[in-house]
Amino acid sequence: PIAAVQMEWSLASREIETDIVPACKELGIGIVAYAPLARLMLALSKEEIATPDEVIGTGFVSMQFERYIGENLKINLGLMGRVAEMAAAKNCTTAQLSLAWLYHRARQMGVPMIAIPGTSHLDHALDNAAAVSIALTAQEMQVLETVSRRMRGARGGPSYMSITFEAQQNYNKTEEQLEATTAAQAAVMEMISKGTMPTPEAMRDKLYEMGKSRPG
C-alpha cells in the first residue's frame, strides 16, 4: 500500500485538488506538499512585493516559470499584496498565513498532509511550524480562495510541465490564459536572444541571499 505521495500544493498551485486529493482521501494516502510557498512567492512581505525586480524578477526568470514573468507577475504580485495585508492584520508573516491556508484546506478535503517548505535557518523553520496553530475564519478562507483562483501562470517551465500529470489534462486554459502563456514564453525567448537571461549560478546566489532574510 502507498503511505504518502509527494506533490506540489499551495495557494498558488492547486491542480492536485481535482483528482489526486480525492483519490488520496478515498485510499487513505497522506500527502507531502512540496513548494508550499510557491518557491518564495507566498512568503513575500509587503515591502518585497513593492520591489519585484529585486525579489522575484531576477531570481526566477531563468526558470522560465510563467507565473514570474511579465503580466502574470504583475497580476500575481497584486494578489499577493492582499495576502500580505491579511497576514499583517493577523500578526503573522505572509509565509505563515500561506501555510495555515494549506493546512486548513487539507482538513477541508479530508486528507492528512504535511508541508515541507525549504529553509536553512532554524528561526524560519520554527516560524513555519507555528503556522499550524494559526486559525482562519470562513471569511478569511473565502478571501484567500478568491486570491488563489485569480493567480496566473503555470507552476513550472515548459520542459518541467511537459512531464507532469497536468500535461495529460491539456490544462483547459481560457483564451486569455493562453495569450498570457504565449507572452511569457516570448519574453523568455527575447531575454535569451539578448543574452540577458540570468545564469544558473546567478540565480542560485540570488536565492541564497533571499533565503537568508525569510523562510524558503
Side-chain angles (χ1 to χ4, degrees):
I2 298 174
V5 295
Q6 183 170 317
M7 301 292 296
E8 182 167 353
W9 195 9
S10 72
L11 190 64
S13 301
R14 302 176 59 184
E15 293 82 0
I16 70 170
E17 292 183 17
T18 303
D19 298 310
I20 294 178
V21 174
C24 287
K25 177 183 178 181
E26 179 181 350
L27 299 173
I29 298 172
I31 297 175
V32 177
Y34 76 85
L37 297 178
R39 297 169 178 82
L40 291 177
M41 187 171 72
L42 295 175
L44 296 178
S45 66
K46 292 173 64 176
E47 293 73 23
E48 290 165 333
I49 291 170
T51 57
D53 290 341
E54 298 178 13
V55 180
I56 287 187
T58 57
F60 288 94
V61 72
S62 59
M63 292 184 183
Q64 301 183 35
F65 289 8
E66 292 176 20
R67 65 173 49 147
Y68 304 117
I69 299 175
E71 189 65 22
N72 285 346
L73 177 60
K74 294 179 183 178
I75 291 173
N76 292 338
L77 288 178
L79 294 168
M80 279 308 304
R82 298 188 64 186
V83 180
E85 290 175 0
M86 182 184 294
K90 293 181 69 66
N91 196 31
C92 66
T93 67
T94 315
Q96 288 176 319
L97 180 61
S98 300
L99 291 171
W101 174 88
L102 181 57
Y103 278 102
H104 277 66
R105 183 59 179 156
R107 286 194 292 271
Q108 283 182 339
M109 299 196 72
V111 291
M113 185 280 302
I114 183 168
I116 51 171
T119 181
S120 58
H121 302 278
L122 178 59
D123 55 343
H124 292 166
L126 293 174
D127 284 345
N128 291 339
V132 299
S133 63
I134 296 175
L136 294 175
T137 66
Q139 182 178 7
E140 289 170 334
M141 286 294 288
Q142 185 56 50
V143 171
L144 293 173
E145 174 74 18
T146 300
V147 167
S148 174
R149 296 299 181 186
R150 292 178 178 174
M151 296 191 79
R152 299 270 291 272
R155 63 190 179 91
S159 60
Y160 178 77
M161 295 305 295
S162 68
I163 61 172
T164 65
F165 72 95
E166 294 104 316
Q168 309 304 317
Q169 298 175 339
N170 197 29
Y171 274 38
N172 293 320
K173 288 186 175 180
T174 65
E175 184 175 343
E176 183 181 24
Q177 290 172 325
L178 287 171
E179 290 177 356
T181 296
T182 301
Q185 292 173 345
V188 169
M189 295 307 297
E190 182 179 0
M191 284 184 283
I192 292 175
S193 66
K194 292 181 178 179
T196 56
M197 178 69 75
T199 65
E201 292 77 14
M203 180 183 69
R204 184 186 62 237
D205 292 342
K206 180 68 176 180
L207 293 177
Y208 177 74
E209 290 301 318
M210 292 165 65
K212 287 182 177 180
S213 61
R214 64 174 175 279

